[in-house]
Amino acid sequence: MAETTVRLPEARYEFGGDEFVFVELDREMSLQANFKAMAITGALRDRELEGVVDICPSNASYLIRLDPGKLHPTELVEELRRLEHSVGELDGNRVVSTRIVDVPVLFDDPWTKETLLRFRDNHQDPNVTDLEYAARINGFSTVEELIEAIGSAPFIVTMLGFVPGLPFCYQMVPRERQIEVPKYVRPRTDTPERAFGYGGAFAVVYPVRGAGGYQLFGIAPAPVFDGTQSLPDFHDRIAFPQPSDILRYRPIDRAEYDHVRSEVEAGTFHYRIREVEFSPTAFLENPDSVNRDLLEELYR
Amino acid sequence: MNEVLVRSGGLYTTVQDAGRDGHYAIGMPPSGAMDRYSFTIANLLTGNPGSTAALEATYLGPELEFTDSRTVAVTGANSSVTINGASAPMWTSLRVGPGDVLGFGPLKTGARPYVAISGGLDVPEYLNSRSTYKLTGIGGFGGRALAEGDRVPLGRAQDAPAEGTTVPEEFLPEFPDVVELRLVVGLCSYRLTENALNSFFDTTWKVTKDADRIGYRLRGGTIDFVERQQPFGAGSDPANVVDLGYPIGSVQIPGGNEPIILLNDAVTGGGYATVGTVVSADRDRIAQTGTGGYVRFNATDVDSAVQARQDRDAWLHKLRTVLSG
């Protein structure tokens, strides 16, 4: 299968001025590149180096923010090169402790539909909805088939960012089964809070209302960001998703959407979460079987 | 409780301190004062520790009424400052009492005046910082810009420099017609042709009206990208890359004709190729460049970037010695 044959190039080290180091692991997206980013940034976190301010794994790269008064960027790059060679090669025995989470999504909902209809002039095909367009260019004969494909396999959080709490999610399927869509020709100036969008090969949930360029497919009833930290899942942090979380986007109907919304508003909602041990190597060898086990664990 | 009354918020005035570090990985930019140099000096003149929360105004400063005795100082953009309608000097420790009103007239040069008040602005901390981050409405005064009628709490004042203490001329920033910004080339600069990169440095760029704490959009030239086969997951636009992290100060060129410099409240990542990063010390100069102003980029390397930061810190340290002497 395609994913196992990905060979990563040598990492490319770049200075983002005096306060940042950017490391590109590959120019194209793959789970291998993301697993490598997670392994190196995880090892760097364990080092607790003086002068490292932020460690930001991203899809096929990572970014480190530093205090150059305490750590010179060239010294950091030397350390990162050492880490690349000691932990960057995927170790067959490596197991990641992570979570699998059920994330309900109401597809083809009235709110994102109203928004996308307002911005038809910014879109590749003004005559159809974003779901209809995405289904067509990905070879699905109906919108329902596209939605089923999104729900059939979980996604892994490969990056957080853009705005606080936004998870970039990559579906855990071989490349030939990836859904891929362009971003809007011109970004929208408005997106509903909690909108479920798709751009490139990534699915996202928009944490807050604002601009956006991803195709709009639906809306999640539960938040990914809670600045007031009132919901139980947010007591320790303001953003729910974490890197390497495995999220299953489950299509729901309007009745369930309304029910979850009422729980959120009452402050009683919590995500369905299971702690799991995840082996990247086992996954790359047999993704469908690992996904089946993950979903079984989630809904047991 | 001690507070300062806002009689007018000015154009866009927010509470800012040294920033909210340590949350970049979840997508939270640090915010904080954009012109760190002027901000720090305002605090020095009022006896506050250098990172104390102060006010950052944009173009037109606020009108503030005091309710108790304080030391106040205005730094940054070259503004007409008044106390009870009478002209007052910038870059100077000023003494005010209950009922006194600090006001602003038109700005002469620069873009952002800073107002520090002894004791600092005692708004609640959010994630260890009082800086305003408007996108998610957190920090500062209710997560927003100040408006008429606001009453902003003040902290307990410490010993301030004597009234009339003034920053010597040699420490004052300049506001040239064309602002030179040092840039470390790199990140995804491989996406540009060599000619495009040369042309980027040869162009004098004009700051558009889309210039705020999130970022500055520039106009003035067109930049060509290298042709390529689209990498999987990147997106079809020539300026697209697989979404990645953006350094603060990094420059991207969506569409090839509108460079954007990302600043303190910017998005932390996205899918556009970045071609370099303005050195941290020169963000002070961007902050003082307004819409209609001009900037040029000069290539530099990481060692010079670190040196520029150390030089600015050493200069501030020297000023601290001068003022306390």
Side-chain angles (χ1 to χ4, degrees), chain A:
Chain A
M1 70 160 252
E3 283 287 352
T4 49
T5 60
V6 170
R7 290 274 175 276
L8 298 178
E10 277 287 296
R12 213 166 52 77
Y13 294 84
E14 294 281 331
F15 297 110
D18 46 313
E19 290 181 340
F20 289 85
V21 169
F22 169 74
V23 185
E24 180 189 84
L25 300 171
D26 200 351
R27 287 182 193 176
E28 55 178 33
M29 181 58 193
S30 66
L31 285 167
Q32 280 85 345
N34 188 252
F35 293 151
K36 185 172 173 179
M38 294 300 171
I40 296 172
T41 52
L44 179 66
R45 199 171 295 112
D46 292 342
R47 293 287 162 105
E48 296 181 358
L49 274 189
E50 168 94 3
V52 170
V53 179
D54 292 287
I55 299 173
C56 316
S58 34
N59 296 311
S61 58
Y62 64 93
L63 183 71
I64 309 296
R65 184 166 177 236
L66 59 102
D67 177 351
K70 295 180 177 150
L71 176 64
H72 195 283
T74 54
E75 279 174 49
L76 176 61
V77 166
E78 283 166 28
E79 176 67 18
L80 296 176
R81 282 184 194 279
R82 278 195 290 275
L83 288 178
E84 184 191 357
H85 293 113
S86 62
V87 300
E89 293 307 315
L90 201 52
D91 172 357
N93 298 321
R94 198 168 79 87
V95 170
V96 181
S97 297
T98 184
R99 317 182 287 181
I100 179 160
V101 184
D102 174 73
V103 182
V105 175
L106 177 62
F107 285 87
D108 204 12
D109 65 291
W111 303 282
T112 56
K113 197 168 202 170
E114 189 275 326
T115 305
L116 69 90
L117 290 176
R118 262 193 293 139
F119 290 98
R120 278 300 84 185
D121 288 351
N122 301 35
H123 196 269
Q124 285 80 2
D125 186 346
N127 300 313
V128 296
T129 66
D130 293 8
L131 275 168
E132 287 165 345
Y133 170 74
R136 189 182 78 222
I137 65 166
N138 280 282
F140 295 103
S141 51
T142 63
V143 162
E144 287 68 34
E145 282 179 29
L146 168 68
I147 295 171
E148 195 188 316
I150 293 170
S152 69
F155 289 67
I156 188 159
V157 177
T158 49
M159 169 174 170
L160 288 183
F162 182 61
V163 296
L166 184 142
F168 286 84
C169 304
Y170 188 72
Q171 199 169 22
M172 295 166 62
V173 295
R175 186 170 288 176
E176 62 272 16
R177 276 157 50 193
Q178 290 281 338
I179 296 158
E180 211 185 354
V181 292
K183 296 159 195 169
Y184 271 40
V185 178
R186 290 195 313 282
R188 294 175 306 273
T189 51
D190 193 19
T191 307
E193 181 185 307
R194 291 175 280 101
F196 175 82
Y198 226 105
F202 298 99
V204 302
V205 175
Y206 284 90
V208 290
R209 187 175 174 183
Y214 277 31
Q215 306 281 334
L216 294 177
F217 288 179
I219 194 163
V224 291
F225 175 81
D226 176 7
T228 63
Q229 298 186 271
S230 51
L231 288 171
D233 289 326
F234 295 83
H235 280 174
D236 295 337
R237 57 182 88 80
I238 54 180
F240 176 76
Q242 297 173 50
S244 297
D245 270 355
I246 297 168
L247 308 183
R248 194 274 171 125
Y249 288 115
R250 180 170 56 87
I252 59 168
D253 61 16
R254 179 63 192 265
E256 183 169 356
Y257 178 89
D258 290 340
H259 176 69
V260 174
R261 282 306 298 156
S262 65
E263 286 187 332
V264 170
E265 273 151 30
T268 56
F269 172 81
H270 55 85
Y271 281 103
R272 183 182 189 89
I273 302 169
R274 295 291 178 269
E275 309 283 334
V276 289
E277 299 288 304
F278 173 73
S279 158
T281 315
F283 171 79
L284 291 171
E285 278 165 11
N286 197 341
D288 290 330
S289 141
V290 170
N291 286 344
R292 207 162 35 240
D293 293 348
L294 285 168
L295 293 179
E296 230 170 66
E297 178 68 27
L298 176 60
Y299 297 112
R300 186 168 15 220

Side-chain angles (χ1 to χ4, degrees), chain B residues 94-213:
Chain B
L94 306 169
R95 197 72 191 156
V96 292
D100 283 346
V101 175
L102 174 78
F104 281 82
L107 194 113
K108 294 167 202 139
T109 48
R112 290 184 168 80
Y114 288 83
V115 183
I117 302 170
S118 58
L121 300 160
D122 194 21
V123 297
E125 285 199 343
Y126 186 88
L127 298 176
N128 302 317
S129 167
R130 295 185 168 87
S131 288
T132 311
Y133 175 43
K134 187 161 160 271
L135 181 78
T136 53
I138 59 152
F141 189 85
R144 60 170 172 82
L146 296 186
E148 184 185 339
D150 288 343
R151 305 166 80 93
V152 186
L154 298 178
R156 185 189 297 271
Q158 300 174 9
D159 290 344
E163 185 174 7
T165 300
T166 294
V167 176
E169 185 85 29
E170 70 213 79
F171 289 93
L172 301 188
E174 291 173 357
F175 304 106
D177 292 336
V178 179
V179 175
E180 307 272 339
L181 302 173
R182 286 164 287 189
L183 180 103
V184 178
V185 179
L187 307 173
C188 305
S189 58
Y190 65 85
R191 289 294 303 124
L192 300 185
T193 64
E194 199 179 322
N195 279 342
L197 199 55
N198 291 335
S199 141
F200 176 75
F201 286 112
D202 289 342
T203 302
T204 300
W205 299 93
K206 186 172 187 177
V207 177
T208 68
K209 65 175 174 44
D210 294 316
D212 56 21
R213 292 182 46 85

